[in-house]
Amino acid sequence: MNNRICMIIILAAVVLGACSCTPPRKEESPLEAKIKRFAPAVITGDTSKLSSGDRQALRKLIEAASVMDTLYLRQVWSGNEALRAHLAADTTAEGRQLLRYFDINMSPWSSLDHNAPFIDGIPPKPPQANYYPADMTKIEFSNWLETLPEPAMTQATGFFTTIRRNAAGSLTTVPYSIEYRDLLEPAAVLLREAAALTDNTSLRRYLTLRADAFLSNDYYESDVAWMDLDSPIDVTIGPYEVYMDELFNYKAAFEAYITLRSNEETAKLVKFSRELQGVENSLPIEPRYRNPRLGGMAPIRVVDEVATGGEARAGVQTAAFNLPNDEKVTQEKGSKRVMLRNVQKAKFQDILVPIADRVVDHVQRRLIAFDPFFTHILAHELMHGLGPHAITLNGKATTVRQAMKELGSAIEEAKADISGLFVLQLLVDRGVVDRSMEQPMYATFLAGIFRSVRFGINEAHGRGMALQFNYLMDERAILFDEKGGTFRVDFDRIKPAVTKLTGEIMTLQARGDYEGARNMLEKLAVMRPQMRTALDKLAGIPVDIAPSFPLVAR
Ligand code: ZN
């Protein structure tokens, strides 16, 4: 609209008492609305303390991570690589948006919408991914499997093979090292180059062995080396998670996390680890249920992500992971937990803070901060290792996990959360953690409840959170303000309530009391009206982040 016509309209509007001059707001397209659920977040780390060799190695590793992108695209669906190339060539506004959303999902299927396709003409997401022939059924695979001798059977159901058809049309097993040779060879070269540049022995060892694995298809030694990795640059690269194989959960998808170790948080973990036996001895349960001698704890690494590749880039961003999955390695070496601090921080700022602005009391909102948020996550992880695990039930030795059956995860997650608060309070009282953390940790925990429950109470974390929320409401440790529709913590009541709930959950676990756990979950792990109303107020707040990595030159 030009200015003259606009002036006339304004004059007319003044006369008529309304102005229609401002251009009408462009309607948001359904695709834009989908993209907006992911808040753009800059994810990076401080490379200034790295040695010059490590800095050069980092560049090679970031390149290797991008090879994992191509590998993963190919694993998702046979048409995926060509589709992305097609979208990248489309320079229209709509084409750019489609590419943007494709890159968020690394496929034409929207992970937040039950994998519905968002591009016209795309078939439903194949449950067999591109690991098996598109026309293969589960029955055909199982029948074929029965005809195989033992080593071939293990290969066919292994993590690192695809299933293809030979010239005669029958099924055959192909190792990743052959199936993906065109990409694994250059990836191996990059890992070897990085290995030659770094001055850290454990990193050099892992990278060298992983490069070998890409070509030999034997990942065992490199998985063991990953467990022993202790380096300023922390790397996880290769085929790992099996979720995408919806037929059998056999086949592993390629991914990469290129990260930098957080020295500050690592020091905090060391400090906490020294207190653990003292904490166990003070748990609010009968002394006979306490473990007088805690064994070695599973290692935890706190890192900042600087680049990812493959499955790690797709959909909802991982904030922490436990690897490896190969039981041969975990039985001998255990597993390692890696926590991605800067990813947690981005989620905190872009999701938790806006949630708190709508549902937490306006005074207590100011107490919400990242440090207590992350410290509680660390405490949560450490508390998984404390409390009852090996128990005696009807005179027989068993475990809490076995006794609690399908209720085990929700109860264990609730335990780790609530006893995480218990332990932090204990450490505040003992002068290990600064008292300035006290009120912020409770207020931040309150806001975090809504973030977890928002994903639903059918999953273990959300269910465990609903349990804690309703328990604390019943104890009047969390209060609801009818007028403002917000929640706040009663700082006097919350301490005894946290101790009481920690004791109740751990006692159920110590007794292997399945019925008691079921009663508790039935009564408390529910969505009450006040929570429902609060969640309704959270519409429009991003669900996750879409990271950009400044260290990655794309
Ligand atoms: Zn947990």
PDB file of all heavy atoms in Angstrom, residues 393-406:
ATOM      1  N   LEU A 393      13.709 -60.289  50.113  1.00  0.00           N
ATOM      2  CA  LEU A 393      12.250 -60.344  50.074  1.00  0.00           C
ATOM      3  C   LEU A 393      11.838 -61.795  50.319  1.00  0.00           C
ATOM      4  O   LEU A 393      12.253 -62.686  49.578  1.00  0.00           O
ATOM      5  CB  LEU A 393      11.769 -59.852  48.696  1.00  0.00           C
ATOM      6  CG  LEU A 393      10.294 -59.526  48.529  1.00  0.00           C
ATOM      7  CD1 LEU A 393       9.824 -58.468  49.510  1.00  0.00           C
ATOM      8  CD2 LEU A 393      10.023 -59.056  47.098  1.00  0.00           C
ATOM      9  N   ASN A 394      11.020 -62.039  51.357  1.00  0.00           N
ATOM     10  CA  ASN A 394      10.615 -63.405  51.741  1.00  0.00           C
ATOM     11  C   ASN A 394      11.830 -64.333  51.881  1.00  0.00           C
ATOM     12  O   ASN A 394      11.829 -65.461  51.388  1.00  0.00           O
ATOM     13  CB  ASN A 394       9.637 -63.995  50.718  1.00  0.00           C
ATOM     14  CG  ASN A 394       8.422 -63.110  50.536  1.00  0.00           C
ATOM     15  OD1 ASN A 394       7.953 -62.486  51.504  1.00  0.00           O
ATOM     16  ND2 ASN A 394       7.930 -63.016  49.318  1.00  0.00           N
ATOM     17  N   GLY A 395      12.882 -63.804  52.495  1.00  0.00           N
ATOM     18  CA  GLY A 395      14.074 -64.614  52.738  1.00  0.00           C
ATOM     19  C   GLY A 395      14.985 -64.767  51.525  1.00  0.00           C
ATOM     20  O   GLY A 395      16.034 -65.387  51.614  1.00  0.00           O
ATOM     21  N   LYS A 396      14.583 -64.213  50.400  1.00  0.00           N
ATOM     22  CA  LYS A 396      15.402 -64.375  49.181  1.00  0.00           C
ATOM     23  C   LYS A 396      16.054 -63.056  48.773  1.00  0.00           C
ATOM     24  O   LYS A 396      15.435 -61.991  48.857  1.00  0.00           O
ATOM     25  CB  LYS A 396      14.517 -64.855  48.028  1.00  0.00           C
ATOM     26  CG  LYS A 396      14.492 -66.366  47.916  1.00  0.00           C
ATOM     27  CD  LYS A 396      14.099 -66.791  46.501  1.00  0.00           C
ATOM     28  CE  LYS A 396      12.805 -67.557  46.538  1.00  0.00           C
ATOM     29  NZ  LYS A 396      11.879 -67.491  45.533  1.00  0.00           N
ATOM     30  N   ALA A 397      17.298 -63.174  48.301  1.00  0.00           N
ATOM     31  CA  ALA A 397      18.000 -61.984  47.832  1.00  0.00           C
ATOM     32  C   ALA A 397      17.427 -61.550  46.484  1.00  0.00           C
ATOM     33  O   ALA A 397      17.250 -62.373  45.587  1.00  0.00           O
ATOM     34  CB  ALA A 397      19.488 -62.278  47.695  1.00  0.00           C
ATOM     35  N   THR A 398      17.092 -60.279  46.373  1.00  0.00           N
ATOM     36  CA  THR A 398      16.572 -59.757  45.104  1.00  0.00           C
ATOM     37  C   THR A 398      16.979 -58.284  44.987  1.00  0.00           C
ATOM     38  O   THR A 398      17.870 -57.841  45.712  1.00  0.00           O
ATOM     39  CB  THR A 398      15.033 -59.943  45.015  1.00  0.00           C
ATOM     40  OG1 THR A 398      14.578 -59.474  43.749  1.00  0.00           O
ATOM     41  CG2 THR A 398      14.315 -59.205  46.122  1.00  0.00           C
ATOM     42  N   THR A 399      16.364 -57.572  44.058  1.00  0.00           N
ATOM     43  CA  THR A 399      16.678 -56.141  43.914  1.00  0.00           C
ATOM     44  C   THR A 399      15.383 -55.345  43.947  1.00  0.00           C
ATOM     45  O   THR A 399      14.298 -55.875  43.695  1.00  0.00           O
ATOM     46  CB  THR A 399      17.374 -55.853  42.566  1.00  0.00           C
ATOM     47  OG1 THR A 399      16.474 -56.216  41.508  1.00  0.00           O
ATOM     48  CG2 THR A 399      18.678 -56.607  42.422  1.00  0.00           C
ATOM     49  N   VAL A 400      15.520 -54.054  44.265  1.00  0.00           N
ATOM     50  CA  VAL A 400      14.358 -53.169  44.260  1.00  0.00           C
ATOM     51  C   VAL A 400      13.716 -53.195  42.872  1.00  0.00           C
ATOM     52  O   VAL A 400      12.496 -53.280  42.732  1.00  0.00           O
ATOM     53  CB  VAL A 400      14.775 -51.727  44.620  1.00  0.00           C
ATOM     54  CG1 VAL A 400      13.611 -50.763  44.428  1.00  0.00           C
ATOM     55  CG2 VAL A 400      15.304 -51.648  46.043  1.00  0.00           C
ATOM     56  N   ARG A 401      14.542 -53.175  41.839  1.00  0.00           N
ATOM     57  CA  ARG A 401      14.036 -53.155  40.459  1.00  0.00           C
ATOM     58  C   ARG A 401      13.126 -54.349  40.188  1.00  0.00           C
ATOM     59  O   ARG A 401      12.039 -54.215  39.627  1.00  0.00           O
ATOM     60  CB  ARG A 401      15.231 -53.169  39.504  1.00  0.00           C
ATOM     61  CG  ARG A 401      14.868 -53.042  38.037  1.00  0.00           C
ATOM     62  CD  ARG A 401      16.134 -53.029  37.182  1.00  0.00           C
ATOM     63  NE  ARG A 401      16.871 -51.784  37.332  1.00  0.00           N
ATOM     64  CZ  ARG A 401      16.577 -50.665  36.674  1.00  0.00           C
ATOM     65  NH1 ARG A 401      15.579 -50.659  35.818  1.00  0.00           N
ATOM     66  NH2 ARG A 401      17.276 -49.575  36.854  1.00  0.00           N
ATOM     67  N   GLN A 402      13.579 -55.553  40.627  1.00  0.00           N
ATOM     68  CA  GLN A 402      12.770 -56.741  40.379  1.00  0.00           C
ATOM     69  C   GLN A 402      11.483 -56.725  41.191  1.00  0.00           C
ATOM     70  O   GLN A 402      10.418 -57.077  40.691  1.00  0.00           O
ATOM     71  CB  GLN A 402      13.577 -58.003  40.686  1.00  0.00           C
ATOM     72  CG  GLN A 402      14.518 -58.347  39.537  1.00  0.00           C
ATOM     73  CD  GLN A 402      15.476 -59.471  39.871  1.00  0.00           C
ATOM     74  OE1 GLN A 402      15.813 -59.678  41.042  1.00  0.00           O
ATOM     75  NE2 GLN A 402      15.915 -60.175  38.858  1.00  0.00           N
ATOM     76  N   ALA A 403      11.593 -56.287  42.435  1.00  0.00           N
ATOM     77  CA  ALA A 403      10.413 -56.301  43.311  1.00  0.00           C
ATOM     78  C   ALA A 403       9.361 -55.288  42.856  1.00  0.00           C
ATOM     79  O   ALA A 403       8.166 -55.526  42.969  1.00  0.00           O
ATOM     80  CB  ALA A 403      10.835 -56.010  44.748  1.00  0.00           C
ATOM     81  N   MET A 404       9.804 -54.150  42.323  1.00  0.00           N
ATOM     82  CA  MET A 404       8.868 -53.079  41.958  1.00  0.00           C
ATOM     83  C   MET A 404       8.313 -53.240  40.548  1.00  0.00           C
ATOM     84  O   MET A 404       7.427 -52.498  40.128  1.00  0.00           O
ATOM     85  CB  MET A 404       9.557 -51.720  42.081  1.00  0.00           C
ATOM     86  CG  MET A 404       9.831 -51.307  43.504  1.00  0.00           C
ATOM     87  SD  MET A 404       8.265 -51.062  44.386  1.00  0.00           S
ATOM     88  CE  MET A 404       8.885 -50.764  46.036  1.00  0.00           C
ATOM     89  N   LYS A 405       8.889 -54.163  39.794  1.00  0.00           N
ATOM     90  CA  LYS A 405       8.409 -54.450  38.429  1.00  0.00           C
ATOM     91  C   LYS A 405       8.152 -53.164  37.631  1.00  0.00           C
ATOM     92  O   LYS A 405       8.998 -52.277  37.597  1.00  0.00           O
ATOM     93  CB  LYS A 405       7.175 -55.352  38.475  1.00  0.00           C
ATOM     94  CG  LYS A 405       7.523 -56.759  38.984  1.00  0.00           C
ATOM     95  CD  LYS A 405       6.300 -57.649  39.099  1.00  0.00           C
ATOM     96  CE  LYS A 405       5.811 -57.663  40.530  1.00  0.00           C
ATOM     97  NZ  LYS A 405       4.809 -58.680  40.806  1.00  0.00           N
ATOM     98  N   GLU A 406       6.940 -53.065  37.016  1.00  0.00           N
ATOM     99  CA  GLU A 406       6.692 -51.941  36.093  1.00  0.00           C
ATOM    100  C   GLU A 406       6.571 -50.596  36.816  1.00  0.00           C
ATOM    101  O   GLU A 406       6.593 -49.548  36.184  1.00  0.00           O
ATOM    102  CB  GLU A 406       5.444 -52.218  35.235  1.00  0.00           C
ATOM    103  CG  GLU A 406       4.093 -51.906  35.878  1.00  0.00           C
ATOM    104  CD  GLU A 406       3.649 -52.944  36.904  1.00  0.00           C
ATOM    105  OE1 GLU A 406       4.394 -53.932  37.136  1.00  0.00           O
ATOM    106  OE2 GLU A 406       2.566 -52.772  37.478  1.00  0.00           O
TER     107      GLU A 406
END
